[in-house]
Structures are given as structure tokens and as C-alpha cells.
Amino acid sequence: MGRVFLDFCCCCDRTLTFSGSYGLNRNFKHYLMRFPLCLCRVFLQMHSHNHILDRSLSRRHFLQFAGLSTAVGSVGYSRVHKPEPSLHQQDALTLPRQVSNRTSVVVIGGGLAGLASAYELSQRGFEVTLLEKAPQLGGKIASWDIQVGEESMRMEHGFHGFFPQYYNLKSIEQELSIRENFVSLESYAVVYKDRYKPEVFKPSHSAFPWNVVDLGVSSHNSLRWGINLTKFAHWKVFREIVGFQPVKSYERLDDLSVAEWVKEDFPRGLYDLYFLPFAKSSLNSPDRLSAGELMQFFHFYFFGNPEGLAFEGSRQDMGRSLVDPIADAIRANGGRILTEATVSELQWDKGEISGLRYHLGAGSSAVPFWVGRNELLSRDGQEVYGAGDCEYAATSDGTGVMSLTCTHQGCTVQAGDDGCFHCPCHGAVFDADGKVVSGPAQRDLERFDAVQKSEDGVQLVANDPQPQDDVTIQADYYVLAADVPGIRHLFSLSKGEMDTTLQKQVDDLEVADPFAVTRMWFDRDFDWEFSSFTSLSGYRLTDSITLYHRIQEDYVDWAQRTGGSVVELHAYCYKEAEFPTQQDLLDTFEQELYEIVPALAEATMLHRELVNQKNFAGFPPGSNATRPSSGTSTPNLMFAGDWVKMPFPCGLMERAVSSGLLATNEILQREGLQRRVLMSVMPEGVLQI
């Protein structure tokens, strides 16, 4: 066993000597509890047991480390007093809150960003029209009806967790009096397939550095973190983790992917245990995620978060728990919400948006659109375009292109050896020309004509477009709150003169690797020692498991009546080359489920659903510099969405909501009205070097 010697503690200004084996860990933990702000003890425990602290730490690095002690001491964290949330855009003057004259706003996109913007605008007296292309509101948190046997249930895009530092989202919940729609989960775990013991996170409400102390004391893997702060490379990693600065951190790290950053001398245990699972939970793969963006993500969720680790889920599906109450509030304030509203033209005049055209209904449109060629699925004699749940294939006779989206519930069909297309979710079969052979689908696959072709893709238009009554609408302001594919498509519909810089910013936006969710109903329950939502690491595909029959009330009721269980597996960002078809996804999910929960291998699967999309915002290396903000160079145009550059740390649902409120604040400022005060965690880390 290694022996540890520490002659001087730079945090508490004491001369100390530890001598002995790591077998005296109990005494070490006792020392930690006696002197919790002495960070040397924490990082000593981080140190791998097979190293000896060397004396090669330079004077400069020693002084840097000593400076951390001063920084930590100055913030005054304790278990009874924590920093308050940081405030953003707090106006110094008291300004009017309500608009005094007729002012109209069109919001395009009914996800969280668009809903948040429309909600605040309607509260302030604006005439709001919200347009959503899908049949239901919510975007990535939408829910819809499905049929499970003889019962109607609700399906979603995957489980969503609510953290206590989602200040802006929670402020809307508070205003709508819907806090009872959410239930606290007692803990959540990260379970590793190999090498490491599970990590269990519980609500401790401990901010930095207490969260590090708590984690070091409670973790079963703390002696495998591999951090050696006497190594300059490890010191630099530590500096980035606890010293996030929005400008400097991005300058240092944004041009590197996470995979590139960690491939050299990086604490391997730290990466395996925390960086890898939490990087993927951003829905971006480490090889395509900016290291600067990951540091912002870590700062928001852990090191800069004064609320500690806690977690909530929704009592019902997200539609009923969150989306519907926000939509009801918009309507109650006079706002219009139109679903199945497809924008067909974005009109520009003198550098501003002068209006737009849209039509209602789910029928096919005569508006051409581009889709990229899918090199992974295209084979000799069969060209495939698009990805995820929006794939298209050239017809067998070569006269056109047909959608591969099953007309039953939207899964992607795939070609079988019999020459037909089969739905992997519910068994519908279509012939080579897309006509229904057997149900449950009732409508043929949609057909398109190819207007133009290029090496990268094809421009399609509906083969038999339904007559549409286009509506022209004009407004004082426009908030574009679509996802990345949606915002690109909207700009492709532009007519007239627009800002070329803005167009370039939109063109530079990227989409992350696709995500997939499968939810499976079984005829029996099973024992599970971890949290009802558990992150998983080390599997080819699966990144998390959710036990819906222990969280959401409808599923709890179903399980109690039937004795069954409902399990959801989520792949946050899988590689299409490894799983090119939805059948590959379903087969791998099922195989891995039986590894994760062996008891279900003997159970009967009663039903399954699949969600497979490629529309989450990508944050690749180098993208921060060109990412557009909420306010744009066009005076009457604002952006909202989880892809917008944010002025304060945030992530996932909180990022979407905050971007919508920032877009609204841009309009309020232009109208001379009081802006909504937004909140976040500490804007910067405590170690500023």
C-alpha cells in the first residue's frame, strides 16, 4: 500500500504530517470532517492509492493552489448559508410592465423556448400568435396518446429530470401554481457495467467545496479518481473544473472536443466516472462536444450550483404536467395557439421580417424542402435521404421518393428480404411502392417528387399536394423558436433581402448525433436496488433506465392493476454507423435490458414504443464563436431555443426556457418595459487563474 506524506497545508496554514497506509481511511475521513474547508485533504483522498505525492510542484503552481484557499474562504460557503442565485438583466429603474399600445408578436415553435416566450409576452399585454408545426405542443417534451392493448396511455420523447437550479423554469411553475405536478426522487444513481462501483447521488444541498467533500467521503470510487494535483496536467484539469469563466474557458477549450482534451494525461477515473456519463447526458457525444461547453455544463450542474444535488420527475406525462398549464395561461391572456401550422414563406423587406405565410392542417405541402443523403443507408440501386424518424427512399421504379415514416405512429420502416417495408415497432407492412399490405397502418407511405438533386441531397415536393389555404400574418416582432433543423428550414423559405451574416450563423448551426428511446411493457415486476431513474455507463447503446411504473401515476396505476412493469431505455447520442436502422436499435436495447435487469429475460413483453430523432442541438468544437444570441442584427427578430448562445450558465430544459425569456426581454427592452429578472448559478467558478 502506498504511504502519504504532506508537510504543509496551503489551505489552513498548518504544518501537517500524514504517515501510514490508505487502510487508515476512516481516520482520514474523520480528519476531513474536522477540517472540511481544508481542501488539501479532499484532493489527497482523490489521489490514486498507487501514487506518492512528489515534491516537483513548482512555486508558481503552489501559489496557484494556495490562491484557491483564499478564493474558497472568501465566498463563505457553509452548510447553513449558501450563495443566492445570480441575477441577470435586473433593470436599475422601475419601468412599466404592460405594453400600452397594440403590439403583436408571432412565435414560431411550440417547444419550451417558444412556450416560455409566448407566456411572458401574453402576461405583458402583447398580442401573441404561437405557431407549432406538430399536432401537439412541447417539442422535445411533447407527449401524445398511444394504444397499449385495450388501454390508452401517454408516450413522450423520454424521461426528463428537473434540478433545483432550474430557477427560471421553476419560477414559471410557481406562477402557475403547478409545483404539485412534480415529485421529488429520493436519489439517482450512475451504474457502471464494468470496473466501478455504483455512484449514488442524494439531495445534499451542498455547494462547492462541500459537494466535493461529500462526494469524496461517500463515493465508493474516490480512491480511483486518479487525480494527482502535483502533476501540472492534472492541475490544469482541476483549474478548468472549478474555475469556469465564460470567456476564458471557451478561449482555452472550445476548439477541442472532449475526446481530444482527455486523450493525453487526464485522470482516467474522473473521466470514466463523471465526465463520460455526464457529457453524454448533454445529448452530445464526447467526440463531437466542445470541451468548453462541457465545462459550462459541469459548472451549471455541479461546481457552480449552490443548490446541491437533487432531482424531480413529473407525476404525469410532461404534456399534462407542464406544457398544458403554460398553454392554458397563454390562452387565458388572449394569446392564440395554432398547431399543425406549417410556415410556407418568410418575407423580408429592408433587412427586417415583413410577414410570413402559413397554412393549417397535416396534409402534404407544395413547398419544396431539402434533405441530405444518408450515406450509411444508401446502397446500390437504393438511395436513402434523411435520418432518424425522417427518412426517405427512392421508389423502386425510380420515378420519385417516398417517406419511410410509418403512417401508424411514426416509426421508420425498413426494407425486408421479401421486398416489402416493415415497421419495427408495431408490425405494419408496406409494399415496394409504399402501399399498405397489412395494418395497423391505414394509409400508404407518402410520396414525393425530386425537384433538384445534388451530391449531398435532394429537394423534394409532395407528389400530390393537398390544396392549402395559405394565411399571411404580419407582426411587430417575430420570435423564431424552432429546433435546429426547423430554424434552417425557415430560413430556406426566406423571400427578399436579409442579413447575410445572420444567414451564415444559422447555416453554421449543427445537429447532434441522434437519440433513441424505447419504452417496454412487461407482464411482471422486478427487484431494482437503484433509483427509479438511473444513468448507465459502459453499454454499447443504453445510457439510462427509467422505471415509469414507479414514477408517473398512470403507469403506477397500470402496474398495480396488472402486476406488470414499464421500463424505458434512453440512448442519448448513438452513432448511426453502429446502429443504422431502427431494428438495430430495438434489438440492442432489448439485449442490453436483459443484461441490466436479468429478471426480465423470462418475462413477456406486452408492448413497446420507439422514439428516434436527430434534432437535438449540437455543440461541436469551435461553434461558440459563431453561435447566434437571442437578440439579432434584425431589429424585429429574436431567436429562442436550446441552441442559442447564453449569457449565463444553463443546460437542457432550463436553457430552452431561459432562451425564450431572453428573447422576450429583448422585445420588452425595445418597448421600454421592465424586463423579467432571470436567475442562474454563479456566473464563474471560484478559482480564477
Side-chain angles (χ1 to χ4, degrees):
M1 300 291 289
R3 305 179 72 84
V4 180
F5 302 91
L6 180 63
D7 297 323
F8 180 75
C9 175
C10 58
C11 297
C12 59
D13 196 26
R14 298 170 186 264
T15 301
L16 305 167
T17 301
F18 283 98
S19 178
S21 73
Y22 277 94
L24 300 176
N25 198 41
R26 183 175 61 179
N27 293 333
F28 176 68
K29 290 183 178 180
H30 174 70
Y31 185 81
L32 275 176
M33 301 313 294
R34 288 182 58 199
F35 300 97
L37 283 180
C38 183
L39 292 183
C40 286
R41 294 129 179 92
V42 180
F43 304 129
L44 183 62
Q45 189 181 14
M46 291 179 185
H47 194 287
S48 175
H49 67 274
N50 60 357
H51 289 86
I52 296 176
L53 288 171
D54 64 44
R55 307 297 181 109
S56 63
L57 189 65
S58 71
R59 175 180 175 84
R60 178 170 62 89
H61 299 146
F62 173 81
L63 292 174
Q64 289 176 332
F65 188 78
L68 170 64
S69 173
T70 304
V72 170
S74 68
V75 297
Y77 286 174
S78 75
R79 295 191 185 275
V80 295
H81 173 76
K82 62 179 179 62
E84 294 298 319
S86 297
L87 303 182
H88 181 73
Q89 292 186 335
Q90 185 174 24
D91 290 322
L93 300 176
T94 300
L95 301 171
R97 290 186 54 82
Q98 300 295 116
V99 67
S100 59
N101 56 335
R102 181 183 180 278
T103 309
S104 57
V105 184
V106 172
V107 179
I108 304 177
L112 266 179
L115 286 169
S117 180
Y119 165 77
E120 183 67 16
L121 288 165
S122 68
Q123 297 280 103
R124 302 299 195 95
F126 289 84
E127 293 185 3
V128 177
T129 301
L130 174 63
L131 304 179
E132 168 55 46
K133 184 178 181 180
Q136 62 278 325
L137 297 169
K140 301 183 188 72
I141 65 165
S143 54
W144 56 94
D145 292 327
I146 58 171
Q147 198 68 24
V148 181
E150 300 298 320
E151 298 192 46
S152 176
M153 304 189 80
R154 301 279 283 181
M155 182 65 188
E156 303 165 281
H157 290 273
F159 178 78
H160 294 81
F162 294 76
F163 290 86
Q165 72 273 29
Y166 285 9
Y167 298 123
N168 299 314
L169 174 54
K170 287 182 177 292
S171 68
I172 293 178
E173 293 174 9
Q174 191 71 33
E175 292 166 13
L176 296 175
S177 301
I178 58 171
R179 289 294 305 131
E180 69 279 1
N181 290 359
F182 304 92
V183 57
S184 177
L185 305 181
E186 294 182 359
S187 66
Y188 72 97
V190 183
V191 176
Y192 308 89
K193 183 179 180 182
D194 302 306
R195 297 181 59 190
Y196 301 103
K197 295 179 180 180
E199 293 279 1
V200 178
F201 300 95
K202 295 182 179 180
S204 66
H205 300 286
S206 296
F208 181 83
W210 286 98
N211 49 13
V212 180
V213 174
D214 291 343
L215 185 60
V217 171
S218 64
S219 172
H220 294 294
N221 301 293
S222 58
L223 295 182
R224 304 186 68 181
W225 290 359
I227 299 179
N228 180 0
L229 289 183
T230 65
K231 299 178 69 173
F232 183 53
H234 287 203
W235 162 251
K236 289 197 299 181
V237 171
F238 171 73
R239 178 192 67 181
E240 298 295 355
I241 291 173
V242 300
F244 174 76
Q245 294 175 281
V247 175
K248 292 183 179 179
S249 293
Y250 279 110
E251 286 178 350
R252 289 193 295 260
L253 297 175
D254 194 51
D255 287 335
L256 289 172
S257 72
V258 173
E260 291 170 331
W261 186 39
V262 306
K263 71 180 180 181
E264 299 298 336
D265 189 0
F266 196 93
R268 180 51 48 184
L270 189 70
Y271 176 75
D272 292 341
L273 288 161
Y274 308 112
F275 274 53
L276 179 59
F278 286 108
K280 295 183 74 175
S281 69
S282 73
L283 281 85
N284 279 249
S285 177
D287 65 317
R288 296 186 60 197
L289 174 63
S290 154
E293 192 63 37
L294 179 63
M295 287 301 94
Q296 189 271 161
F297 195 78
F298 260 72
H299 179 78
F300 175 67
Y301 281 98
F302 193 68
F303 287 101
N305 169 23
E307 304 300 333
L309 294 171
F311 203 66
E312 288 182 335
S314 57
R315 292 186 184 274
Q316 295 289 8
D317 59 273
M318 292 290 285
R320 284 178 288 176
S321 296
L322 182 60
V323 174
D324 291 350
I326 298 177
D328 290 344
I330 295 170
R331 294 187 183 100
N333 286 297
R336 284 198 309 158
I337 297 178
L338 303 175
T339 57
E340 296 188 298
T342 301
V343 175
S344 56
E345 187 175 280
L346 201 61
Q347 300 161 347
W348 294 78
D349 184 37
K350 298 178 181 178
E352 293 190 9
I353 298 181
S354 58
L356 60 85
R357 292 167 61 83
Y358 72 92
H359 61 263
L360 296 177
S364 55
S365 170
V367 178
F369 60 96
W370 281 92
V371 288
R373 184 176 184 271
N374 190 318
E375 296 182 2
L376 294 171
L377 298 181
S378 295
R379 301 178 180 88
D380 292 340
Q382 179 70 72
E383 291 286 344
V384 177
Y385 306 93
D389 63 347
C390 291
E391 291 181 10
Y392 305 83
T395 55
S396 58
D397 58 10
T399 59
V401 174
M402 66 182 175
S403 168
L404 298 183
T405 301
C406 180
T407 55
H408 173 229
Q409 287 190 6
C411 291
T412 299
V413 302
Q414 59 189 59
D417 295 336
D418 58 359
C420 293
F421 289 92
H422 297 258
C423 176
C425 296
H426 308 111
V429 180
F430 304 84
D431 68 17
D433 294 320
K435 295 181 179 179
V436 174
V437 174
S438 62
Q442 301 297 312
R443 292 181 291 110
D444 297 342
L445 299 177
E446 192 173 4
R447 292 176 66 99
F448 298 85
D449 293 326
V451 180
Q452 299 181 63
K453 285 188 177 181
S454 70
E455 292 183 2
D456 299 326
V458 61
Q459 187 182 40
L460 303 177
V461 66
N463 178 266
D464 184 23
Q466 303 300 312
Q468 304 289 347
D469 294 325
D470 273 10
V471 177
T472 299
I473 184 172
Q474 295 178 321
D476 297 296
Y477 296 99
Y478 299 84
V479 178
L480 302 190
D483 58 19
V484 172
I487 200 73
R488 285 176 173 173
H489 180 62
L490 287 171
F491 269 71
S492 74
L493 302 174
S494 295
K495 302 293 182 184
E497 184 180 348
M498 60 174 297
D499 189 330
T500 56
T501 301
L502 198 61
Q503 176 73 68
K504 175 93 168 47
Q505 286 183 309
V506 170
D507 290 342
D508 287 344
L509 293 173
E510 293 196 26
V511 181
D513 289 316
F515 67 89
V517 171
T518 186
R519 194 175 297 183
M520 293 168 277
W521 285 250
F522 291 93
D523 65 346
R524 66 189 69 174
D525 202 350
F526 55 91
D527 292 330
W528 181 253
E529 62 178 303
F530 305 110
S531 49
S532 297
F533 168 83
T534 295
S535 291
L536 302 169
S537 185
Y539 293 89
R540 285 181 60 216
L541 179 63
T542 307
D543 294 312
S544 70
I545 181 172
T546 306
L547 279 56
Y548 265 79
H549 62 292
R550 299 186 188 177
I551 300 177
Q552 289 191 356
E553 292 175 352
D554 282 357
Y555 287 89
V556 172
D557 176 67
W558 181 87
Q560 290 175 345
R561 287 186 286 107
T562 65
S565 58
V566 183
V567 178
E568 178 180 277
L569 301 182
H570 199 153
Y572 294 137
C573 44
Y574 71 88
K575 295 301 181 183
E576 293 169 278
E578 191 173 359
F579 305 98
T581 71
Q582 291 188 338
Q583 189 64 56
D584 294 324
L585 293 171
L586 288 167
D587 290 345
T588 307
F589 270 138
E590 187 171 349
Q591 173 192 337
E592 292 185 342
L593 174 62
Y594 300 146
E595 291 183 56
I596 299 160
V597 188
L600 287 178
E602 303 301 321
T604 299
M605 187 187 299
L606 304 174
H607 185 80
R608 70 180 178 185
E609 294 283 333
L610 178 70
V611 176
N612 174 211
Q613 292 184 312
K614 189 175 181 179
N615 63 348
F616 200 86
F619 297 92
S623 61
N624 184 69
T626 60
R627 189 173 301 280
S629 302
S630 291
T632 75
S633 56
T634 299
N636 67 343
L637 171 63
M638 285 77 207
F639 285 149
D642 52 21
W643 45 270
V644 168
K645 181 185 289 189
M646 300 299 293
F648 50 79
C650 52
L652 301 176
M653 288 190 292
E654 177 71 355
R655 184 168 187 147
V657 167
S658 299
S659 73
L661 297 176
L662 281 168
T664 297
N665 275 354
E666 293 285 342
I667 296 174
L668 296 176
Q669 186 175 38
R670 285 161 172 74
E671 292 295 316
L673 302 177
Q674 194 86 35
R675 293 179 295 181
R676 182 179 180 121
V677 178
L678 304 183
M679 294 174 286
S680 183
V681 302
M682 292 190 310
E684 297 183 340
V686 297
L687 181 58
Q688 302 299 311
I689 296 176

